[in-house]
Amino acid sequence: MRRGTGVRDIVSAMTRSIAGHIAKTLFAAAMVAWLPFAPASAQAPPDADPAARSFFPSGGDPPTGSTTEPAARPTRAPPATARRFVAPPSRATPRVATPWDTLPAFDAGTAERIDRAIERLSTIVAGGGWPRIEATARLAEGQRTAATESLRGRLEIEGDIPHRAHDRDLWDTDLTEALKRFQLRHGLSPTGAIGNLTRRALGVSAERRLVSLQKSRARIATRQPEGQRQVVVNIPAAMVEAVEDGVVRRRHVAVVGRAERASPEIDARINAINLNPNWTVPPTILREDIAPRMRRDPTYLARQRIRVFEGGREIDPGTVDWSTGRALGLTLRQDPGPHNSLGFVRVAMPNSEAVYLHDTPSRGLFARDERFHSSGCVRVDDVLALSAWLLEGTGNDEASMRRQIETGERRDLRLRQPVATHWIYLTGWATSDGTIHFREDVDGLDGDRPVAAVTPRARPGQNRDAPAVAPVANAPAPSTHEPAPLFESWFGRRP
């Protein structure tokens, strides 16, 4: 009896061992097959690939969560030879064409067009507004419902579909196309289906949209585009337009400041492009983000390849008590490279708020549902293409800039002539074809009070991403929205 039991135990142990080896082999094979398609953060340990762990995943914001490493890890930054200078890729997100592709949001006629839009919305409000779409209504193409009739009436009032007297409760292909137009006007991907963000946009009253137009009009009351070429950043749209002679030559998806560190409304002049810039941590980020992080994780700066200086002399961050006032007086500098929070490109634009346009090592943010993650500066998708447009006439095109980046050396490329840049906050505006566009009031500047006119108010400077590089001459919380389509519109929201 005992002998039989022993044999069974041996056989059972051998079976488990063989099964374990098979499982390990299958797991290894699966990893080999998966690795080429894995995100950078999964392909390398924290210090092996600097690009996989940028200092601020949002390109200026402190990362969330703890990544404390064993105390034995070195506190000094790895040698410069560990860096690889590979120029950033082109556009990270597919672009969706619209009927108003070449029409700027901000030009000499913007104020007059908003005035006409205010008149139109005032008439709609006086007439009782537009039909309310029930939040729980189930709407889909091919259905006949009372909610579909309300949706059709809403889109008719706003001019997205012509009025018709028959089959008003039927969702047909014409209504789908009208909904796509509505989505585009509100910065949503044109899916033609009602998801969370589209439903939310449909739920905004005509009175509230009127306020957006009035407040937007007031904010640009004293502002005008300067020169033949401008770079316009519309903050609520998280969008950058390169405008020349009143025509949009290029549009770029952007990541702008989150509400508590909002991008400011400014006018400045772009005078240079900095390739392979270094980045000096601004005092606010040092105080609010870095010092607390170093108290929890003394190896953090070394992993992010940030050096510490005191009185011009480099010191070991491990010798600093990060809970003292001494820590807040230090200079922290991140060297150029793929890990750098500015990426490989900085667009120099001297201004009192010390903000600027730049590249980012975290380009996945351009495909996010909402792109309000920075600490005040604006990150630009396909920034090399924008830089080439700014540098026209200087002999610096995209190809030459890529070669210069790959040398690993800092290069400062002057523009032939400075180009004006205007950072504006338009939650409601009209393009020259008469189309009225709306965006969410992400920074809460509109308020709820309808007005006939308001005095534009200056927004406090944030200076959160401010660099200490001398100019020449991000992970956000997971989206709570519905599953999104595979592509990302350049308009800034998913439906």
Side-chain angles (χ1 to χ4, degrees):
M1 186 74 175
R2 271 184 236 133
R3 181 178 299 175
T5 301
V7 170
R8 284 196 299 273
D9 289 343
I10 292 171
V11 171
S12 177
M14 291 177 64
T15 301
R16 288 195 301 271
S17 177
I18 293 170
H21 283 296
I22 292 174
K24 290 178 181 178
T25 301
L26 291 174
F27 177 78
M31 288 298 293
V32 169
W34 169 78
L35 191 57
F37 305 98
S41 58
Q43 293 184 27
D47 289 330
D49 181 3
R53 291 243 184 156
S54 63
F55 171 47
F56 290 132
S58 302
D61 307 330
T64 58
S66 175
T67 58
T68 303
E69 302 290 338
R73 297 289 297 275
T75 57
R76 286 194 179 276
T81 54
R83 301 194 299 269
R84 293 179 63 246
F85 289 80
V86 178
S90 297
R91 188 179 300 275
T93 55
R95 186 172 177 279
V96 178
T98 74
W100 43 85
D101 258 356
T102 62
L103 308 181
F106 180 63
D107 61 16
T110 296
E112 182 180 351
R113 293 196 299 270
I114 294 179
D115 286 339
R116 291 198 294 268
I118 289 173
E119 292 177 4
R120 180 175 166 186
L121 261 291
S122 297
T123 301
I124 292 173
V125 170
W130 43 56
R132 179 180 178 83
I133 311 298
E134 293 297 329
T136 58
R138 298 181 64 85
L139 296 161
E141 187 169 345
Q143 292 183 348
R144 284 185 181 271
T145 65
T148 297
E149 185 170 0
S150 297
L151 174 62
R152 183 179 294 277
R154 163 69 182 274
L155 297 180
E156 286 175 350
I157 289 174
E158 291 202 79
D160 291 314
I161 190 172
H163 175 79
R164 79 180 189 192
H166 61 88
D167 289 331
R168 296 187 56 77
D169 62 347
L170 173 64
W171 186 319
D172 55 13
T173 56
D174 288 343
L175 189 60
T176 297
E177 293 304 310
L179 182 61
K180 288 180 180 179
R181 178 179 168 83
F182 173 90
Q183 290 169 326
L184 290 173
R185 291 193 301 106
H186 291 75
L188 307 174
S189 297
T191 63
I194 296 183
N196 290 343
L197 291 179
T198 298
R199 192 180 295 274
R200 189 163 72 193
L202 287 167
V204 179
S205 68
E207 292 82 359
R208 190 70 190 85
R209 292 306 191 196
L210 177 59
V211 170
S212 293
L213 288 168
Q214 292 171 328
K215 295 295 182 71
S216 295
R217 174 65 175 85
R219 283 191 288 268
I220 63 165
T222 60
R223 301 178 70 181
Q224 283 290 327
E226 178 186 345
Q228 290 184 312
R229 309 179 100 209
Q230 309 95 36
V231 173
V232 177
V233 179
N234 189 6
I235 297 165
M239 186 64 54
V240 175
E241 296 178 351
V243 182
E244 185 171 13
D245 295 326
V247 176
V248 176
R249 304 298 183 184
R250 299 196 57 84
R251 290 185 190 269
H252 297 262
V253 170
V255 174
V256 301
R258 55 193 185 274
E260 64 272 21
R261 296 183 181 179
S263 298
E265 297 172 74
I266 60 169
D267 297 305
R269 293 169 72 83
I270 298 169
N271 62 8
I273 303 297
N274 308 135
L275 303 181
N276 294 329
N278 61 25
W279 183 70
T280 299
V281 177
T284 303
I285 289 180
L286 173 57
R287 180 179 65 253
E288 297 182 6
D289 303 321
I290 301 299
R293 183 62 177 266
M294 284 297 289
R295 291 196 290 270
R296 299 193 306 269
D297 178 8
T299 67
Y300 179 66
L301 289 180
R303 293 199 317 278
Q304 307 307 326
R305 302 175 188 275
I306 296 177
R307 296 187 290 159
V308 180
F309 296 85
E310 186 173 38
R313 179 177 59 89
E314 184 173 3
I315 64 173
D316 186 340
T319 65
V320 177
D321 182 351
W322 293 93
S323 63
T324 65
R326 176 199 175 198
L328 302 183
L330 300 173
T331 298
L332 276 60
R333 182 174 301 131
Q334 192 175 38
D335 290 332
H339 56 279
N340 190 284
S341 296
L342 307 185
F344 294 103
V345 182
R346 173 180 177 269
V347 179
M349 42 174 283
N351 61 90
S352 61
E353 304 292 349
V355 291
Y356 45 88
L357 304 159
H358 65 90
D359 184 23
T360 173
S362 302
R363 296 179 184 89
L365 288 174
F366 295 125
R368 296 269 182 176
D369 291 358
E370 297 178 333
R371 300 190 301 277
F372 308 98
H373 308 297
S374 86
S375 291
C377 287
V378 174
R379 302 165 215 152
V380 184
D381 188 19
D382 202 9
V383 69
L384 276 181
L386 176 62
S387 300
W389 181 81
L390 288 165
L391 289 166
E392 285 180 0
T394 67
N396 293 287
D397 57 13
E398 283 191 63
S400 69
M401 283 188 283
R402 289 181 185 279
R403 290 192 297 270
Q404 293 178 72
I405 287 171
E406 289 166 5
T407 67
E409 298 178 4
R410 165 73 180 257
R411 300 289 176 86
D412 299 318
L413 310 177
R414 285 183 177 276
L415 275 61
R416 186 174 58 178
Q417 291 183 332
V419 173
T421 182
H422 307 288
W423 294 21
I424 59 176
Y425 194 92
L426 295 181
T427 51
W429 74 95
T431 42
S432 58
D433 65 341
T435 301
I436 303 177
H437 306 258
F438 294 105
R439 296 294 186 273
E440 290 188 30
D441 180 20
V442 292
D443 293 340
L445 300 189
D446 285 353
D448 298 316
R449 179 174 57 89
V451 293
V454 295
T455 302
R457 63 189 179 95
R459 301 173 67 197
Q462 304 301 317
N463 298 332
R464 304 291 185 158
D465 287 332
V469 293
V472 182
N474 26 298
S479 172
T480 58
H481 305 309
E482 63 193 354
L486 294 178
F487 68 93
E488 164 66 9
S489 159
W490 52 262
F491 299 91
R493 301 286 198 281
R494 298 186 193 273

